[in-house]
Amino acid sequence: MAGVFIADPSLLSPLPPLPSARRSFSLPERNLRLYRNPWLLPASSPCVPPCSCAAGTLDPEPSEEIDNTSLSTRIEGGKDRRRAVRIAWEKLVRWSRSWRSKAKTDVLERTKKVAVLGGGSFGTAMAAHVASRKAGMEVSMLLRDSDVCRAINETHFNFKYFPEHRLPENIMATTSAKDALLGADFCLHAVPVQFSSSFLQGISQHVDPNLPFISLSKGLELNTLRTMSQIIPCALRNPRQPFVVLSGPSFAIELMGKMPTAMVVASKDKKLARSAQQLLASPNLRISSSRDVTGVEIAGALKNVLAIASGIVEGMNLGNNCMAALVAQGCSEIRWLATKMGAKPTTLTGLSGSGDIMLTCFVNLSRNRTVGVRLGSGEKLDDILGSMNQVAEGVSTAGAVIALAEKYHVKMPVLTAVARIIDNELTPRKAVLELMSLPQVEEV
């Protein structure tokens, strides 16, 4: 018996003709098609599924078929995509190997001595990193503290900052600038910005005029608003002193642990930037290069002030929404000022910009963020600074940032609020209320 078809007239409209390639089909295929098109089944059939028209789930194209061919096509398509991903990755690996095989290492090979000025946490970590690059290279650290100096030479530990990390044996510490700098091929400058000018003036007679300086210090000189690229040549009385700035998201403790890190070196001298790359790059430290010295330095200085702001939000328990909004606004303010000073916008979205900002604003290891957290919790700035054994550059940089903003006619509400809190002219809670009361403006 052919069976009684469903009597709904809307379902009795003729089906479109099937493609010629599919006019004949086997019994299993026919059954599958009948199941996908229930109006072709007898009403008395026990296989009729509940009508789902009202629920809107009925296949809107009754002529569409799902058969073994389309299933196999999807499987083959998945295989093709996986194959394409694998090939793309293999090409990337081959390109990387080829690039590494062609990369020059002559700078590292001919470097016999590197001087490191300053024995703080980051200076010590970079000294250890460079020393581990080549066992036959001498790394000479110039320190003020004779006890730390003696401990490094006798026990190979900087007990003040890294009591659990043994330093390479080719690191030697000294309190003599002459001994540290004599015969050096490179100099890593890790003295805090506010002390750098007087410090360099005191050792200038021992500095070779052709000695490349790689600055690790981030910040702005409070009274002069100068960056390290301006401070170093001026203090050494040599406007042609070779200069490179190193910046990017990097905590000293993770460098000591040889954890994967990426940073950027910037110099107006492209050849010098490449030399610094060869000296510093390693399997656990990627070094990109740039010619935008201004962008790298300004981003590195201002992110410390923004980190204090993010810490204040954390200390006041204002929530994640507030944190994201504040950091986004702060990033815009940094971009506004830096580009007015000649920085490239792409620099501010790279390692020395967004990368360093994310690390400093969101991770508890940040000194500047810690200052902000304690300020937001109600502690006094003097008490906070008195309890710290490291310098939080953002505290002194905040005032310089506002002076720069006035000079370049840039409005910076978040960073200005930080400066006022540090100067004890505004409480954190009132600063938040004032920021939230600013006019609603178009985002730029």
Side-chain angles (χ1 to χ4, degrees):
M1 182 176 177
V4 180
F5 287 89
I6 299 174
D8 188 341
S10 66
L11 299 179
L12 295 176
S13 57
L15 293 173
L18 294 174
S20 58
R22 295 185 180 177
R23 287 191 183 278
S24 61
F25 38 79
S26 63
L27 183 59
E29 291 174 335
R30 182 176 183 275
N31 290 341
L32 177 61
R33 184 173 171 229
L34 290 174
Y35 182 81
R36 290 287 291 159
N37 298 277
W39 48 84
L40 297 180
L41 288 172
S44 59
S45 171
C47 298
V48 176
C51 180
S52 54
C53 302
T57 59
L58 191 63
D59 191 342
E61 299 184 27
S63 62
E64 183 182 352
E65 296 179 15
I66 297 179
D67 56 18
N68 295 335
T69 303
S70 60
L71 181 61
S72 63
T73 300
R74 288 199 301 275
I75 294 173
E76 287 299 322
K79 290 181 179 178
D80 289 342
R81 284 192 294 273
R82 288 194 294 272
R83 188 182 303 113
V85 172
R86 185 178 68 253
I87 291 172
W89 178 255
E90 290 173 352
K91 285 182 178 179
L92 178 64
V93 171
R94 286 197 300 271
W95 169 80
S96 177
R97 289 173 180 169
S98 173
W99 184 269
R100 288 199 304 270
S101 67
K102 295 176 183 178
K104 295 181 179 179
T105 58
D106 52 316
V107 170
L108 182 63
E109 290 170 357
R110 67 170 180 261
T111 299
K112 296 180 180 179
K113 181 177 179 179
V114 174
V116 179
L117 308 182
S121 59
F122 201 72
T124 301
M126 287 304 299
H129 171 76
V130 172
S132 66
R133 296 278 288 131
K134 180 180 171 182
M137 178 171 56
E138 178 187 350
V139 176
S140 181
M141 295 181 66
L142 177 60
L143 309 177
R144 292 184 306 166
D145 193 323
S146 57
D147 292 334
V148 175
C149 184
R150 189 181 308 109
I152 290 175
N153 292 334
E154 294 177 359
T155 68
H156 302 290
F157 284 92
N158 185 335
F159 63 85
K160 191 173 182 180
Y161 296 106
F162 298 109
E164 298 179 357
H165 289 82
R166 183 179 176 85
L167 301 176
E169 295 190 3
N170 53 333
I171 290 181
M172 299 297 294
T174 179
T175 57
S176 167
K178 181 179 179 180
D179 293 343
L181 292 163
L182 185 63
D185 299 297
F186 289 91
C187 178
L188 304 185
H189 180 92
V191 178
V193 172
Q194 306 308 321
F195 308 108
S196 290
S197 186
S198 58
F199 170 79
L200 290 170
Q201 288 173 6
I203 66 169
S204 60
Q205 67 270 28
H206 304 298
V207 177
D208 188 296
N210 297 314
L211 176 64
F213 268 68
I214 302 176
S215 175
L216 314 182
S217 307
K218 300 176 182 179
L220 298 170
E221 197 171 46
L222 184 56
N223 296 322
T224 65
L225 312 183
R226 296 182 302 180
T227 61
M228 290 306 304
S229 62
Q230 299 166 319
I231 293 171
I232 289 176
C234 184
L236 298 177
R237 302 181 186 89
N238 178 16
R240 296 184 179 275
Q241 192 76 44
F243 177 84
V244 181
V245 57
L246 175 71
S247 189
S250 49
F251 284 139
I253 187 66
E254 295 188 2
L255 278 174
M256 288 295 287
K258 299 187 181 300
M259 301 180 76
T261 303
M263 303 179 72
V264 59
V265 289
S267 177
K268 294 179 179 178
D269 184 337
K270 191 174 182 179
K271 184 177 179 181
L272 181 57
R274 287 179 176 173
S275 296
Q277 245 181 336
Q278 290 187 40
L279 176 70
L280 301 176
S282 75
N284 59 283
L285 179 58
R286 281 183 55 83
I287 301 290
S288 301
S289 63
S290 170
R291 300 185 70 177
D292 186 9
V293 175
T294 299
V296 171
E297 287 196 294
I298 293 300
L302 271 60
K303 62 95 183 179
N304 286 328
V305 183
L306 183 55
I308 294 176
S310 71
I312 290 172
V313 169
E314 181 69 20
M316 295 177 66
N317 296 313
L318 297 181
N320 297 319
N321 293 349
C322 181
M323 178 70 75
L326 175 128
V327 173
Q329 170 66 24
C331 287
S332 294
E333 294 178 13
I334 292 172
R335 185 184 75 249
W336 298 337
L337 178 60
T339 52
K340 278 287 191 76
M341 297 177 68
K344 297 178 181 178
T346 51
T347 301
L348 306 174
T349 59
L351 287 168
S352 60
S354 298
D356 214 356
I357 288 170
M358 286 189 286
L359 185 78
T360 313
C361 289
F362 300 140
V363 182
N364 290 330
L365 290 173
S366 167
R367 297 190 297 269
N368 292 283
R369 185 179 188 276
T370 298
V371 169
V373 170
R374 295 175 66 178
L375 283 171
S377 301
E379 294 188 52
K380 299 296 183 183
L381 181 62
D382 290 341
D383 295 335
I384 297 170
L385 299 181
S387 66
M388 298 177 68
N389 65 347
Q390 299 185 66
V391 176
E393 286 282 7
V395 174
S396 52
T397 300
V401 168
I402 305 314
L404 272 180
E406 292 177 356
K407 179 180 178 180
Y408 287 93
H409 308 289
V410 178
K411 290 183 172 62
M412 307 178 74
V414 167
L415 301 188
T416 301
V418 174
R420 296 196 67 199
I421 291 170
I422 288 174
D423 291 341
N424 203 28
E425 295 177 355
L426 198 65
T427 65
R429 187 162 298 280
K430 190 171 182 181
V432 171
L433 292 174
E434 289 189 7
L435 287 173
M436 290 300 293
S437 301
L438 289 173
Q440 315 296 323
V441 297
E442 182 180 0
E443 186 176 46
V444 292

